[in-house]
Amino acid sequence: MFEYLKGMVTAVMPSYIVVDVAGVGYRIITANPFAFTEQQVATVYVEQIVRDNEQTLYGFQTLDEKTLFQKLLAVSGIGPKSALAILASSDHTGLVQAIVNDDVTFLTKFPGIGKKTAQQIILDLQNKVDELPFQTQMDQFELDVPKPKAGSDLDEALQALEALGYAKKDLKRIEKQLQTEAFADTAAYVSAGLKLLQ
């Protein structure tokens, strides 16, 4: 029904953002909410999923991400939460390589993806790699810029990763490593955490 929404981002939470469009606040679940900035106008590509008693909007920064989300949902055994967890990684080229090279191990590192589902992803998408819209995105790391609020940025990033389905024990394991770095913002901590979890 919706292709995209353009409006003011009024809230950024660990698992979703709120976008005000003409006075209506849309709650949109995203892979990395902290990639959006509060009180800034954003264009969010959306996919509406309607279930028995629930209507949910899933949001993406680019049309390519939305298309990839749709392709992943077409795979048997992949639900919206698992698809979002896969999309949260900025390394989309790594995903392509895993599909091309039958790399089940790479895919099973995402929460909710077991060996059988990973094999299904490879089976369903291996012959459609040319159709997958991947763009290598620049990491948003600014390693030389320490921020005084690094503690809260890290805490928010860990909450976002937990919302994606990563286990608390795995998050505890990477927390100390992330504490030794000074990333620019929460989104950068999320990206770094995803790399450590894979």
Side-chain angles (χ1 to χ4, degrees), residues 31-198:
N32 185 355
F34 297 103
F36 296 90
T37 306
E38 279 191 31
Q39 304 309 313
Q40 284 194 4
V41 174
T43 298
V44 185
Y45 293 89
V46 293
E47 178 75 6
Q48 183 179 27
I49 295 181
V50 180
R51 293 196 167 155
D52 294 339
N53 57 352
E54 182 182 14
Q55 294 186 38
T56 307
L57 286 175
Y58 294 90
F60 314 93
Q61 287 186 292
T62 66
L63 185 57
D64 283 355
E65 286 184 357
K66 176 180 174 177
T67 303
L68 175 55
F69 180 77
Q70 292 168 331
K71 294 283 187 186
L72 287 169
L73 284 184
V75 175
S76 176
I78 295 283
K81 190 170 183 179
S82 296
L84 273 189
I86 293 171
L87 278 175
S89 171
S90 60
D91 184 17
H92 294 164
T93 53
L95 176 61
V96 173
Q97 290 170 353
I99 292 170
V100 170
N101 298 325
D102 292 329
D103 190 350
V104 171
T105 304
F106 179 91
L107 296 171
T108 54
K109 290 179 180 176
F110 294 107
I113 306 296
K115 186 176 180 182
K116 186 177 179 182
T117 304
Q119 290 170 333
Q120 192 67 47
I121 292 172
I122 292 168
L123 181 67
D124 288 1
L125 298 182
Q126 198 165 52
N127 295 327
K128 300 178 183 176
V129 168
D130 293 340
E131 300 173 21
L132 299 179
F134 290 96
Q135 292 182 354
T136 305
Q137 299 174 355
M138 294 297 292
D139 289 336
Q140 299 174 16
F141 299 167
E142 295 178 28
L143 299 176
D144 299 328
V145 186
K147 295 282 182 173
K149 61 179 187 131
S152 62
D153 283 345
L154 177 56
D155 291 341
E156 288 177 342
L158 292 171
Q159 289 173 25
L161 291 168
E162 187 177 350
L164 286 169
Y166 287 98
K168 284 187 177 180
K169 63 180 177 64
D170 293 327
L171 298 179
K172 282 285 184 192
R173 175 175 55 83
I174 67 165
E175 184 175 4
K176 286 184 180 179
Q177 291 172 268
L178 291 174
Q179 284 171 342
T180 64
E181 303 286 354
F183 293 109
D185 53 26
T186 303
Y189 274 106
V190 172
S191 295
L194 286 163
K195 290 192 175 194
L196 290 173
L197 287 161
Q198 289 174 17

